[in-house]
Amino acid sequence: MNKDSERYMIISDLHVPDHDIKTFNLILRFISHYKPDYLDILGDFINFTKISKFDQDPYYKTDLADEIEEARGVLKQLVETTRKENEKAQITYFEGNHEARVAKYLAKNALQLADLTFDDEYIISVPHLLELKKLGVKWEGKERIVIRHNTVFTHGTNTRVKSGFAAHANIDKFGFSGFSGHSHKLCLVTRTQSGNTKFWIETGCLCNLSPNPAFVIHPDWTQGFAVAEYRFETHQFYPQIVPIVNHSFMYEGKLFS
């Protein structure tokens, strides 16, 4: 890693197999360009559609095994692309509410299966099902919050009608700067409290804007992601949001499309 700084890339809410494949391919290209020291996946990477507590779409034919298999392939692409450019990159997968569906389903329907283990892992768990240990991906479950350099990284639980409202709620909740997914909205807000300027980024989404199966009609979602550089001499994060518009985005004068 660079002695003067750390480069972070933060993505969330792919919702495999409902990820936007064109957008995902751009993300892989950007990783090769940006070469992050940290790749943070802020949850809802996979849908777990068939074990949702919500009413099922009878015409949605993708089963759970297919979802898991596809998610493994997508995650492997992310890991291999990142490590090709930076073999020491730390990749962290945060539990989101969709990942939490696994434990909730077990608690409600198959409690006796929850304690089955293999190689010190619960067999019916996201880390085991997606082979995180094999890929060298760190899992952040339970609390789903990591604080680095006085900055929060989390999937989040707050959603609001308009972009930025959840970000303000998170600054109030945590009292720190931070990054969160969950809202499928993209924004950067700032607050100065007692002379201390804080930021919060809602990191957008990388899923299809017309979800299948449809659970939202014409959703007010925005594709995008965040990057940030932490400079040791100033002890500060310098964050940016990157909006993705019609399968294209700009970063430092370079067009990705």
Side-chain angles (χ1 to χ4, degrees):
M1 294 184 184
N2 190 310
K3 294 181 179 180
D4 298 324
S5 67
E6 296 171 340
R7 292 165 72 89
Y8 290 73
M9 181 174 176
I10 305 100
I11 63 175
S12 68
D13 296 273
L14 278 82
H15 291 273
V16 177
D18 201 28
H19 59 301
D20 188 317
I21 294 174
K22 289 183 179 180
T23 294
F24 179 69
N25 288 333
L26 291 181
I27 292 298
L28 295 178
R29 284 180 53 200
F30 182 79
I31 289 172
S32 295
H33 172 78
Y34 186 67
K35 300 174 176 56
D37 299 308
Y38 290 83
L39 175 64
D40 290 305
I41 304 168
L42 297 188
D44 284 7
F45 180 83
I46 178 173
N47 264 342
F48 289 113
T49 308
K50 291 295 186 179
I51 56 173
S52 168
K53 67 179 180 180
F54 300 105
D55 293 339
Q56 296 289 325
D57 180 348
Y59 303 107
Y60 183 72
K61 301 303 182 183
T62 303
D63 64 24
L64 185 60
D66 290 335
E67 278 198 7
I68 292 170
E69 187 66 26
E70 188 164 0
R72 283 177 184 164
V74 172
L75 184 60
K76 184 178 179 182
Q77 286 182 279
L78 281 171
V79 171
E80 289 180 347
T81 301
T82 304
R83 296 263 167 74
K84 180 181 177 180
E85 303 299 338
N86 182 352
E87 63 181 11
K88 295 183 179 180
Q90 179 176 306
I91 303 172
T92 306
Y93 186 137
F94 291 71
E95 183 179 13
N97 52 290
H98 278 253
E99 284 82 11
R101 286 176 173 178
V102 176
K104 289 180 179 179
Y105 183 87
L106 288 173
K108 185 176 181 180
N109 300 286
L111 188 60
Q112 295 303 314
L113 301 180
D115 288 333
L116 295 176
T117 60
F118 176 79
D119 194 22
D120 296 323
E121 279 189 330
Y122 290 118
I123 293 174
I124 309 176
S125 69
V126 174
H128 189 78
L129 294 172
L130 297 190
E131 301 178 332
L132 301 193
K133 185 181 293 186
K134 178 179 177 181
L135 292 172
V137 173
K138 185 178 181 181
W139 168 252
E140 288 292 345
K142 297 182 179 178
E143 296 298 326
R144 308 176 223 166
I145 294 169
V146 169
I147 298 178
R148 305 189 188 106
H149 307 304
N150 293 318
T151 302
V152 172
F153 294 76
T154 181
H155 176 67
T157 56
N158 288 318
T159 57
R160 298 291 189 272
V161 173
K162 294 184 179 181
S163 175
F165 286 17
H168 283 291
N170 280 323
I171 290 178
D172 289 339
K173 177 179 180 178
F174 292 106
F176 288 100
S177 296
F179 302 87
S180 62
H182 190 55
S183 68
H184 291 207
K185 301 184 188 302
L186 182 71
C187 71
L188 187 159
V189 304
T190 57
R191 301 268 294 278
T192 300
Q193 300 170 320
S194 301
N196 182 21
T197 298
K198 304 169 187 175
F199 71 86
W200 198 283
I201 287 180
E202 294 177 58
T203 54
C205 66
L206 299 175
C207 59
N208 289 315
L209 298 183
S210 297
N212 178 40
F215 58 95
V216 180
I217 306 301
H218 300 299
D220 181 14
W221 297 346
T222 302
Q223 289 187 346
F225 60 97
V227 294
E229 186 162 345
Y230 182 81
R231 302 291 299 189
F232 290 107
E233 67 265 35
T234 59
H235 305 291
Q236 294 289 334
F237 266 114
Y238 298 95
Q240 300 178 52
I241 58 172
V242 183
I244 299 173
V245 182
N246 296 327
H247 298 110
S248 64
F249 61 88
M250 294 283 295
Y251 181 77
E252 293 185 339
K254 180 177 175 60
L255 176 65
F256 293 80
S257 66

